[in-house]
Amino acid sequence: MNCVETAQPLPPEEDTELNQKIYHAGQYAPPGRYRQLDSGREVLLEKEDILPASLDGHVAWYIRITPYTTLDKTGETPSHK
């Protein structure tokens, strides 16, 4: 029986274009809003928690786009007038 394993490339610890730390599914992350890099899906963590899997067979990679402390009660980023 042959077993073929396809490895997915690992992104760097920091995205050089965005100069931000990259998190992966299953990793504990601080509170905030996160965007999945390949799909654009957003996840809100209200407290330190584990980032969710993509459930499509690929490793999900995330960047934090908004710290939780800057979100208002609706989960939206407050507008600056």
Side-chain angles (χ1 to χ4, degrees):
M1 179 164 126
N2 291 336
C3 180
V4 178
E5 186 175 322
T6 58
Q8 295 179 3
L10 298 176
E13 276 296 311
E14 286 193 8
D15 185 326
T16 54
E17 287 183 27
L18 300 173
N19 197 26
Q20 294 183 18
K21 182 175 179 179
I22 296 178
Y23 299 86
H24 61 83
Q27 181 178 5
Y28 275 97
R33 186 180 303 278
Y34 292 81
R35 179 171 295 133
Q36 190 174 335
L37 295 178
D38 61 347
S39 71
R41 175 178 79 153
E42 291 188 8
V43 174
L44 176 64
L45 298 181
E46 295 181 358
K47 60 182 175 64
E48 183 176 351
D49 207 347
I50 297 173
L51 288 164
S54 63
L55 303 177
D56 65 359
H58 297 95
V59 176
W61 298 100
Y62 296 90
I63 57 168
R64 186 164 70 159
I65 54 176
T66 309
Y68 185 71
T69 56
T70 62
L71 300 175
D72 68 12
K73 292 178 182 176
T74 65
E76 298 296 321
T77 304
S79 60
H80 297 284
K81 296 180 181 179

mmCIF file of all heavy atoms in Angstrom, residues 36-72:
data_model
loop_
_atom_site.group_PDB
_atom_site.id
_atom_site.type_symbol
_atom_site.label_atom_id
_atom_site.label_comp_id
_atom_site.label_asym_id
_atom_site.label_seq_id
_atom_site.Cartn_x
_atom_site.Cartn_y
_atom_site.Cartn_z
ATOM 1 N N GLN A 36 -8.495 34.843 8.148
ATOM 2 C CA GLN A 36 -7.832 33.687 7.556
ATOM 3 C C GLN A 36 -7.208 34.120 6.236
ATOM 4 O O GLN A 36 -7.860 34.762 5.415
ATOM 5 C CB GLN A 36 -8.837 32.557 7.331
ATOM 6 C CG GLN A 36 -8.190 31.264 6.943
ATOM 7 C CD GLN A 36 -9.207 30.127 6.872
ATOM 8 O OE1 GLN A 36 -10.255 30.167 7.517
ATOM 9 N NE2 GLN A 36 -8.895 29.141 6.073
ATOM 10 N N LEU A 37 -5.931 33.815 6.053
ATOM 11 C CA LEU A 37 -5.184 34.360 4.916
ATOM 12 C C LEU A 37 -5.676 33.881 3.556
ATOM 13 O O LEU A 37 -5.745 34.660 2.629
ATOM 14 C CB LEU A 37 -3.695 34.049 5.075
ATOM 15 C CG LEU A 37 -3.016 34.723 6.262
ATOM 16 C CD1 LEU A 37 -1.567 34.302 6.352
ATOM 17 C CD2 LEU A 37 -3.134 36.233 6.153
ATOM 18 N N ASP A 38 -6.027 32.615 3.407
ATOM 19 C CA ASP A 38 -6.378 32.130 2.072
ATOM 20 C C ASP A 38 -7.844 32.342 1.701
ATOM 21 O O ASP A 38 -8.189 32.372 0.533
ATOM 22 C CB ASP A 38 -5.999 30.659 1.896
ATOM 23 C CG ASP A 38 -6.715 29.738 2.861
ATOM 24 O OD1 ASP A 38 -7.315 30.232 3.831
ATOM 25 O OD2 ASP A 38 -6.676 28.521 2.642
ATOM 26 N N SER A 39 -8.726 32.526 2.687
ATOM 27 C CA SER A 39 -10.146 32.649 2.367
ATOM 28 C C SER A 39 -10.748 34.007 2.723
ATOM 29 O O SER A 39 -11.812 34.353 2.232
ATOM 30 C CB SER A 39 -10.946 31.567 3.102
ATOM 31 O OG SER A 39 -10.997 31.851 4.488
ATOM 32 N N GLY A 40 -10.091 34.748 3.617
ATOM 33 C CA GLY A 40 -10.637 36.024 4.056
ATOM 34 C C GLY A 40 -11.661 35.897 5.174
ATOM 35 O O GLY A 40 -12.171 36.896 5.667
ATOM 36 N N ARG A 41 -11.967 34.663 5.590
ATOM 37 C CA ARG A 41 -12.919 34.438 6.685
ATOM 38 C C ARG A 41 -12.403 35.125 7.941
ATOM 39 O O ARG A 41 -11.216 35.108 8.228
ATOM 40 C CB ARG A 41 -13.076 32.940 6.931
ATOM 41 C CG ARG A 41 -13.955 32.615 8.126
ATOM 42 C CD ARG A 41 -14.114 31.133 8.307
ATOM 43 N NE ARG A 41 -12.936 30.574 8.949
ATOM 44 C CZ ARG A 41 -12.960 29.480 9.693
ATOM 45 N NH1 ARG A 41 -14.078 28.806 9.852
ATOM 46 N NH2 ARG A 41 -11.855 29.037 10.243
ATOM 47 N N GLU A 42 -13.317 35.751 8.692
ATOM 48 C CA GLU A 42 -12.933 36.421 9.933
ATOM 49 C C GLU A 42 -13.475 35.667 11.136
ATOM 50 O O GLU A 42 -14.572 35.117 11.094
ATOM 51 C CB GLU A 42 -13.425 37.865 9.932
ATOM 52 C CG GLU A 42 -12.695 38.713 8.926
ATOM 53 C CD GLU A 42 -13.007 40.181 9.030
ATOM 54 O OE1 GLU A 42 -13.694 40.597 9.983
ATOM 55 O OE2 GLU A 42 -12.548 40.924 8.149
ATOM 56 N N VAL A 43 -12.662 35.648 12.189
ATOM 57 C CA VAL A 43 -12.997 34.967 13.436
ATOM 58 C C VAL A 43 -12.781 35.962 14.564
ATOM 59 O O VAL A 43 -11.774 36.667 14.596
ATOM 60 C CB VAL A 43 -12.077 33.734 13.641
ATOM 61 C CG1 VAL A 43 -12.304 33.100 14.993
ATOM 62 C CG2 VAL A 43 -12.267 32.734 12.518
ATOM 63 N N LEU A 44 -13.733 36.028 15.504
ATOM 64 C CA LEU A 44 -13.610 36.910 16.655
ATOM 65 C C LEU A 44 -13.356 36.061 17.900
ATOM 66 O O LEU A 44 -14.156 35.175 18.220
ATOM 67 C CB LEU A 44 -14.890 37.732 16.844
ATOM 68 C CG LEU A 44 -14.929 38.623 18.083
ATOM 69 C CD1 LEU A 44 -13.854 39.708 18.006
ATOM 70 C CD2 LEU A 44 -16.309 39.234 18.238
ATOM 71 N N LEU A 45 -12.248 36.327 18.565
ATOM 72 C CA LEU A 45 -11.960 35.693 19.851
ATOM 73 C C LEU A 45 -12.183 36.734 20.939
ATOM 74 O O LEU A 45 -11.517 37.767 20.949
ATOM 75 C CB LEU A 45 -10.513 35.184 19.904
ATOM 76 C CG LEU A 45 -10.108 34.114 18.896
ATOM 77 C CD1 LEU A 45 -8.654 33.710 19.124
ATOM 78 C CD2 LEU A 45 -11.013 32.903 18.980
ATOM 79 N N GLU A 46 -13.126 36.492 21.840
ATOM 80 C CA GLU A 46 -13.420 37.429 22.918
ATOM 81 C C GLU A 46 -12.465 37.266 24.090
ATOM 82 O O GLU A 46 -12.368 38.147 24.935
ATOM 83 C CB GLU A 46 -14.862 37.268 23.373
ATOM 84 C CG GLU A 46 -15.844 37.655 22.281
ATOM 85 C CD GLU A 46 -17.290 37.529 22.724
ATOM 86 O OE1 GLU A 46 -17.547 37.104 23.875
ATOM 87 O OE2 GLU A 46 -18.158 37.851 21.916
ATOM 88 N N LYS A 47 -11.793 36.130 24.146
ATOM 89 C CA LYS A 47 -10.780 35.861 25.171
ATOM 90 C C LYS A 47 -9.719 35.001 24.524
ATOM 91 O O LYS A 47 -9.897 34.525 23.395
ATOM 92 C CB LYS A 47 -11.403 35.143 26.373
ATOM 93 C CG LYS A 47 -12.031 33.801 26.034
ATOM 94 C CD LYS A 47 -12.657 33.175 27.258
ATOM 95 C CE LYS A 47 -13.384 31.906 26.959
ATOM 96 N NZ LYS A 47 -12.607 30.797 26.467
ATOM 97 N N GLU A 48 -8.584 34.806 25.198
ATOM 98 C CA GLU A 48 -7.557 33.945 24.628
ATOM 99 C C GLU A 48 -8.177 32.578 24.373
ATOM 100 O O GLU A 48 -8.831 31.999 25.233
ATOM 101 C CB GLU A 48 -6.369 33.809 25.569
ATOM 102 C CG GLU A 48 -5.263 32.970 24.962
ATOM 103 C CD GLU A 48 -4.023 32.901 25.821
ATOM 104 O OE1 GLU A 48 -3.926 33.630 26.813
ATOM 105 O OE2 GLU A 48 -3.138 32.109 25.478
ATOM 106 N N ASP A 49 -8.013 32.089 23.153
ATOM 107 C CA ASP A 49 -8.651 30.835 22.768
ATOM 108 C C ASP A 49 -7.885 30.223 21.600
ATOM 109 O O ASP A 49 -6.933 30.813 21.088
ATOM 110 C CB ASP A 49 -10.106 31.102 22.370
ATOM 111 C CG ASP A 49 -11.009 29.891 22.588
ATOM 112 O OD1 ASP A 49 -10.490 28.775 22.813
ATOM 113 O OD2 ASP A 49 -12.234 30.066 22.536
ATOM 114 N N ILE A 50 -8.347 29.077 21.163
ATOM 115 C CA ILE A 50 -7.716 28.366 20.047
ATOM 116 C C ILE A 50 -8.368 28.819 18.744
ATOM 117 O O ILE A 50 -9.597 28.879 18.645
ATOM 118 C CB ILE A 50 -7.881 26.850 20.224
ATOM 119 C CG1 ILE A 50 -7.152 26.397 21.484
ATOM 120 C CG2 ILE A 50 -7.364 26.105 19.006
ATOM 121 C CD1 ILE A 50 -7.381 24.953 21.848
ATOM 122 N N LEU A 51 -7.551 29.124 17.740
ATOM 123 C CA LEU A 51 -8.081 29.495 16.426
ATOM 124 C C LEU A 51 -8.635 28.245 15.737
ATOM 125 O O LEU A 51 -8.031 27.174 15.810
ATOM 126 C CB LEU A 51 -6.991 30.138 15.571
ATOM 127 C CG LEU A 51 -6.619 31.549 16.026
ATOM 128 C CD1 LEU A 51 -5.298 31.974 15.411
ATOM 129 C CD2 LEU A 51 -7.722 32.525 15.654
ATOM 130 N N PRO A 52 -9.779 28.368 15.052
ATOM 131 C CA PRO A 52 -10.443 27.196 14.478
ATOM 132 C C PRO A 52 -9.787 26.693 13.186
ATOM 133 O O PRO A 52 -9.136 27.445 12.468
ATOM 134 C CB PRO A 52 -11.856 27.700 14.187
ATOM 135 C CG PRO A 52 -11.682 29.162 13.951
ATOM 136 C CD PRO A 52 -10.568 29.588 14.872
ATOM 137 N N ALA A 53 -10.030 25.416 12.921
ATOM 138 C CA ALA A 53 -9.573 24.800 11.675
ATOM 139 C C ALA A 53 -10.449 25.270 10.521
ATOM 140 O O ALA A 53 -11.575 25.732 10.712
ATOM 141 C CB ALA A 53 -9.647 23.281 11.792
ATOM 142 N N SER A 54 -9.939 25.126 9.303
ATOM 143 C CA SER A 54 -10.708 25.531 8.127
ATOM 144 C C SER A 54 -11.702 24.454 7.697
ATOM 145 O O SER A 54 -12.650 24.738 6.988
ATOM 146 C CB SER A 54 -9.760 25.837 6.961
ATOM 147 O OG SER A 54 -9.056 24.666 6.607
ATOM 148 N N LEU A 55 -11.471 23.199 8.112
ATOM 149 C CA LEU A 55 -12.324 22.051 7.786
ATOM 150 C C LEU A 55 -12.396 21.760 6.290
ATOM 151 O O LEU A 55 -13.349 21.148 5.822
ATOM 152 C CB LEU A 55 -13.733 22.229 8.371
ATOM 153 C CG LEU A 55 -13.792 22.450 9.885
ATOM 154 C CD1 LEU A 55 -15.215 22.696 10.340
ATOM 155 C CD2 LEU A 55 -13.174 21.289 10.634
ATOM 156 N N ASP A 56 -11.401 22.210 5.534
ATOM 157 C CA ASP A 56 -11.366 21.913 4.102
ATOM 158 C C ASP A 56 -10.144 21.072 3.721
ATOM 159 O O ASP A 56 -9.837 20.913 2.552
ATOM 160 C CB ASP A 56 -11.406 23.198 3.270
ATOM 161 C CG ASP A 56 -10.171 24.064 3.454
ATOM 162 O OD1 ASP A 56 -9.275 23.704 4.246
ATOM 163 O OD2 ASP A 56 -10.108 25.122 2.800
ATOM 164 N N GLY A 57 -9.454 20.561 4.729
ATOM 165 C CA GLY A 57 -8.276 19.733 4.468
ATOM 166 C C GLY A 57 -6.977 20.507 4.394
ATOM 167 O O GLY A 57 -5.924 19.923 4.188
ATOM 168 N N HIS A 58 -7.027 21.815 4.537
ATOM 169 C CA HIS A 58 -5.832 22.654 4.494
ATOM 170 C C HIS A 58 -5.614 23.317 5.851
ATOM 171 O O HIS A 58 -6.572 23.578 6.572
ATOM 172 C CB HIS A 58 -5.967 23.745 3.427
ATOM 173 C CG HIS A 58 -6.081 23.203 2.049
ATOM 174 N ND1 HIS A 58 -7.295 22.991 1.450
ATOM 175 C CD2 HIS A 58 -5.139 22.814 1.170
ATOM 176 C CE1 HIS A 58 -7.100 22.493 0.237
ATOM 177 N NE2 HIS A 58 -5.801 22.375 0.043
ATOM 178 N N VAL A 59 -4.380 23.606 6.151
ATOM 179 C CA VAL A 59 -4.071 24.309 7.388
ATOM 180 C C VAL A 59 -4.524 25.761 7.253
ATOM 181 O O VAL A 59 -4.274 26.401 6.238
ATOM 182 C CB VAL A 59 -2.555 24.257 7.696
ATOM 183 C CG1 VAL A 59 -2.225 25.081 8.933
ATOM 184 C CG2 VAL A 59 -2.097 22.823 7.869
ATOM 185 N N ALA A 60 -5.225 26.252 8.256
ATOM 186 C CA ALA A 60 -5.682 27.640 8.242
ATOM 187 C C ALA A 60 -4.633 28.521 8.913
ATOM 188 O O ALA A 60 -4.180 28.232 10.005
ATOM 189 C CB ALA A 60 -7.019 27.763 8.979
ATOM 190 N N TRP A 61 -4.257 29.610 8.231
ATOM 191 C CA TRP A 61 -3.302 30.593 8.754
ATOM 192 C C TRP A 61 -4.033 31.901 8.930
ATOM 193 O O TRP A 61 -4.828 32.301 8.085
ATOM 194 C CB TRP A 61 -2.136 30.765 7.772
ATOM 195 C CG TRP A 61 -1.368 29.501 7.579
ATOM 196 C CD1 TRP A 61 -1.473 28.629 6.544
ATOM 197 C CD2 TRP A 61 -0.382 28.953 8.452
ATOM 198 N NE1 TRP A 61 -0.623 27.573 6.719
ATOM 199 C CE2 TRP A 61 0.065 27.752 7.879
ATOM 200 C CE3 TRP A 61 0.166 29.358 9.661
ATOM 201 C CZ2 TRP A 61 1.035 26.951 8.496
ATOM 202 C CZ3 TRP A 61 1.132 28.568 10.263
ATOM 203 C CH2 TRP A 61 1.555 27.381 9.673
ATOM 204 N N TYR A 62 -3.768 32.577 10.040
ATOM 205 C CA TYR A 62 -4.483 33.798 10.397
ATOM 206 C C TYR A 62 -3.532 34.945 10.731
ATOM 207 O O TYR A 62 -2.418 34.719 11.193
ATOM 208 C CB TYR A 62 -5.327 33.572 11.662
ATOM 209 C CG TYR A 62 -6.430 32.569 11.525
ATOM 210 C CD1 TYR A 62 -6.217 31.225 11.801
ATOM 211 C CD2 TYR A 62 -7.705 32.968 11.139
ATOM 212 C CE1 TYR A 62 -7.244 30.300 11.700
ATOM 213 C CE2 TYR A 62 -8.739 32.057 11.034
ATOM 214 C CZ TYR A 62 -8.501 30.721 11.314
ATOM 215 O OH TYR A 62 -9.519 29.809 11.210
ATOM 216 N N ILE A 63 -4.034 36.159 10.523
ATOM 217 C CA ILE A 63 -3.381 37.351 11.072
ATOM 218 C C ILE A 63 -4.419 38.046 11.947
ATOM 219 O O ILE A 63 -5.623 37.984 11.677
ATOM 220 C CB ILE A 63 -2.867 38.332 9.988
ATOM 221 C CG1 ILE A 63 -3.988 38.771 9.060
ATOM 222 C CG2 ILE A 63 -1.690 37.751 9.245
ATOM 223 C CD1 ILE A 63 -3.612 39.926 8.168
ATOM 224 N N ARG A 64 -3.950 38.708 13.011
ATOM 225 C CA ARG A 64 -4.871 39.462 13.870
ATOM 226 C C ARG A 64 -5.043 40.831 13.241
ATOM 227 O O ARG A 64 -4.077 41.543 12.995
ATOM 228 C CB ARG A 64 -4.325 39.582 15.286
ATOM 229 C CG ARG A 64 -5.331 40.239 16.210
ATOM 230 C CD ARG A 64 -5.009 40.044 17.651
ATOM 231 N NE ARG A 64 -3.826 40.818 18.020
ATOM 232 C CZ ARG A 64 -3.535 41.157 19.260
ATOM 233 N NH1 ARG A 64 -4.309 40.787 20.251
ATOM 234 N NH2 ARG A 64 -2.466 41.856 19.510
ATOM 235 N N ILE A 65 -6.305 41.201 12.979
ATOM 236 C CA ILE A 65 -6.561 42.484 12.320
ATOM 237 C C ILE A 65 -7.035 43.548 13.300
ATOM 238 O O ILE A 65 -6.884 44.727 13.030
ATOM 239 C CB ILE A 65 -7.551 42.344 11.141
ATOM 240 C CG1 ILE A 65 -8.846 41.675 11.579
ATOM 241 C CG2 ILE A 65 -6.902 41.581 10.009
ATOM 242 C CD1 ILE A 65 -9.900 41.599 10.492
ATOM 243 N N THR A 66 -7.620 43.150 14.441
ATOM 244 C CA THR A 66 -8.066 44.114 15.440
ATOM 245 C C THR A 66 -7.947 43.490 16.821
ATOM 246 O O THR A 66 -8.540 42.448 17.061
ATOM 247 C CB THR A 66 -9.548 44.503 15.223
ATOM 248 O OG1 THR A 66 -9.747 44.881 13.877
ATOM 249 C CG2 THR A 66 -9.956 45.643 16.123
ATOM 250 N N PRO A 67 -7.219 44.112 17.738
ATOM 251 C CA PRO A 67 -7.215 43.626 19.112
ATOM 252 C C PRO A 67 -8.621 43.744 19.709
ATOM 253 O O PRO A 67 -9.361 44.667 19.380
ATOM 254 C CB PRO A 67 -6.246 44.551 19.837
ATOM 255 C CG PRO A 67 -5.443 45.189 18.758
ATOM 256 C CD PRO A 67 -6.325 45.241 17.549
ATOM 257 N N TYR A 68 -9.006 42.829 20.557
ATOM 258 C CA TYR A 68 -10.363 42.819 21.129
ATOM 259 C C TYR A 68 -10.668 44.092 21.902
ATOM 260 O O TYR A 68 -11.794 44.565 21.896
ATOM 261 C CB TYR A 68 -10.550 41.595 22.030
ATOM 262 C CG TYR A 68 -11.961 41.463 22.536
ATOM 263 C CD1 TYR A 68 -12.989 41.098 21.667
ATOM 264 C CD2 TYR A 68 -12.286 41.737 23.854
ATOM 265 C CE1 TYR A 68 -14.285 40.989 22.107
ATOM 266 C CE2 TYR A 68 -13.590 41.633 24.297
ATOM 267 C CZ TYR A 68 -14.585 41.254 23.430
ATOM 268 O OH TYR A 68 -15.876 41.161 23.865
ATOM 269 N N THR A 69 -9.688 44.678 22.544
ATOM 270 C CA THR A 69 -9.926 45.867 23.365
ATOM 271 C C THR A 69 -10.389 47.070 22.549
ATOM 272 O O THR A 69 -10.980 47.990 23.096
ATOM 273 C CB THR A 69 -8.668 46.263 24.147
ATOM 274 O OG1 THR A 69 -7.599 46.462 23.226
ATOM 275 C CG2 THR A 69 -8.296 45.206 25.156
ATOM 276 N N THR A 70 -10.155 47.076 21.230
ATOM 277 C CA THR A 70 -10.574 48.207 20.404
ATOM 278 C C THR A 70 -11.934 47.972 19.760
ATOM 279 O O THR A 70 -12.419 48.814 19.030
ATOM 280 C CB THR A 70 -9.548 48.504 19.292
ATOM 281 O OG1 THR A 70 -9.460 47.376 18.427
ATOM 282 C CG2 THR A 70 -8.197 48.839 19.869
ATOM 283 N N LEU A 71 -12.580 46.849 20.048
ATOM 284 C CA LEU A 71 -13.889 46.567 19.481
ATOM 285 C C LEU A 71 -14.977 47.089 20.411
ATOM 286 O O LEU A 71 -14.853 47.026 21.625
ATOM 287 C CB LEU A 71 -14.083 45.063 19.283
ATOM 288 C CG LEU A 71 -13.080 44.376 18.350
ATOM 289 C CD1 LEU A 71 -13.326 42.878 18.358
ATOM 290 C CD2 LEU A 71 -13.181 44.925 16.946
ATOM 291 N N ASP A 72 -16.076 47.593 19.832
ATOM 292 C CA ASP A 72 -17.187 48.025 20.674
ATOM 293 C C ASP A 72 -18.071 46.821 20.996
ATOM 294 O O ASP A 72 -17.769 45.699 20.630
ATOM 295 C CB ASP A 72 -17.966 49.176 20.035
ATOM 296 C CG ASP A 72 -18.726 48.775 18.786
ATOM 297 O OD1 ASP A 72 -18.855 47.567 18.517
ATOM 298 O OD2 ASP A 72 -19.202 49.674 18.072
#
